[in-house]
Amino acid sequence: ETGVTQTPRHLVMGMTNKKSLKCEQHLGHNAMYWYKQSAKKPLELMFVYNFKEQTENNSVPSRFSPECPNSSHLFLHLHTLQPEDSALYLCASSLRDRGTGNTIYFGEGSWLTVV
Amino acid sequence: AQSVTQLDSQVPVFEEAPVELRCNYSSSVSVYLFWYVQYPNQGLQLLLKYLSGSTLVKGINGFEAEFNKSQTSFHLRKPSVHISDTAEYFCAVEAGGTSYGKLTFGQGTILTVHP
């Protein structure tokens, strides 16, 4: 139990489907993140939310749409994805505090397969 | 911008042997340095981090790392490994200042401990 819970753990979707990944953190943090882990590539930061406001979009295609309704919940809405979007999507959270190195706590990830 | 190079994609060792996983980084600004571990089918867990001060950092599970500014390295070591240390290890950097939570990861090193 890491304090960051992701659902579903596994998702298979067609290219025309619309689905969402959900993340919830129980750590009292004020920043949340989506990272993408693809085979043979380093983990890539996708989005950053601080106090529910998006502060970073790392040139992510618009077929990925994040939503952060409050500081404990983060969603990633998926539509018209491509097979190359198949990956492990990791949610993370941290307590934004200058000078602490901002330890990031990761969830167990959602395995996404696009067929 | 920052970059991280993990010099070995795979490291096989025998149980109770020492191990070193190498990490080099480049950055034009001061950085915070992290090592994370990912066990099969799980998210990332923080092993240790360097923010400032002593260049030798001790983490969980008997791991330690040494920050070498002149060589821009942050190698991870353990004097005696166990079967349970088999996992993938990631080195990451975060630029100091306003780059909260924006980690740049290396490609990962798969550590396999053989009996």
Side-chain angles (χ1 to χ4, degrees):
Chain A
E1 175 60 47
T2 66
V4 181
T5 304
Q6 291 188 240
T7 55
R9 293 294 314 278
H10 299 271
L11 177 63
V12 179
M13 60 184 290
M15 290 188 285
T16 58
N17 291 159
K18 290 184 180 181
K19 298 286 185 182
S20 297
L21 305 180
K22 178 183 175 182
C23 176
E24 182 174 2
Q25 60 94 0
H26 313 274
L27 301 169
H29 290 163
N30 52 24
M32 297 189 77
Y33 316 84
W34 281 114
Y35 277 83
K36 177 182 179 182
Q37 186 176 23
S38 305
K40 301 187 186 301
K41 292 179 67 176
L43 281 92
E44 302 171 79
L45 176 66
M46 299 175 72
F47 301 103
V48 179
Y49 277 82
N50 287 304
F51 299 99
K52 303 186 298 179
E53 299 297 322
Q54 186 181 125
T55 56
E56 183 82 13
N57 178 336
N58 198 21
S59 302
V60 180
S62 60
R63 57 185 184 270
F64 295 91
S65 175
E67 179 189 1
C68 189
N70 54 62
S71 58
S72 297
H73 293 86
L74 184 65
F75 295 89
L76 188 62
H77 303 299
L78 315 168
H79 61 100
T80 60
L81 295 190
Q82 305 299 312
E84 59 264 29
D85 296 322
S86 299
L88 178 66
Y89 289 86
L90 291 162
C91 176
S93 71
S94 70
L95 184 65
R96 179 176 170 146
D97 185 3
R98 187 187 299 271
T100 65
N102 204 39
T103 298
I104 296 178
Y105 294 83
F106 286 85
E108 295 191 328
S110 293
W111 284 99
L112 172 66
T113 303
V114 181
V115 297
Chain B
Q2 296 75 44
S3 68
V4 179
T5 302
Q6 291 183 239
L7 297 158
D8 305 293
S9 59
Q10 297 192 51
V11 174
V13 294
F14 287 106
E15 195 172 18
E16 298 183 6
V19 70
E20 178 180 80
L21 307 183
R22 297 179 294 168
C23 172
N24 287 94
Y25 70 93
S26 68
S27 176
S28 57
V29 299
S30 61
V31 295
Y32 300 130
L33 296 153
F34 304 81
W35 275 99
Y36 281 86
V37 60
Q38 186 176 33
Y39 298 103
N41 299 315
Q42 294 188 26
L44 276 70
Q45 179 183 1
L46 181 70
L47 274 178
L48 48 79
K49 62 182 179 182
Y50 173 80
L51 306 183
S52 64
S54 173
T55 57
L56 184 63
V57 181
K58 293 188 183 299
I60 63 171
N61 302 338
F63 283 94
E64 62 181 33
E66 185 156 19
F67 170 58
N68 187 319
K69 188 174 182 179
S70 62
Q71 297 185 9
T72 60
S73 67
F74 191 55
H75 300 333
L76 181 70
R77 301 186 183 99
K78 186 169 182 179
S80 176
V81 295
H82 303 290
I83 298 288
S84 58
D85 292 322
T86 295
E88 189 161 17
Y89 292 78
F90 294 92
C91 181
V93 301
E94 176 192 309
T98 60
S99 298
Y100 302 104
K102 292 166 63 174
L103 295 178
T104 300
F105 283 88
Q107 294 266 14
T109 298
I110 297 173
L111 173 65
T112 304
V113 181
H114 298 285

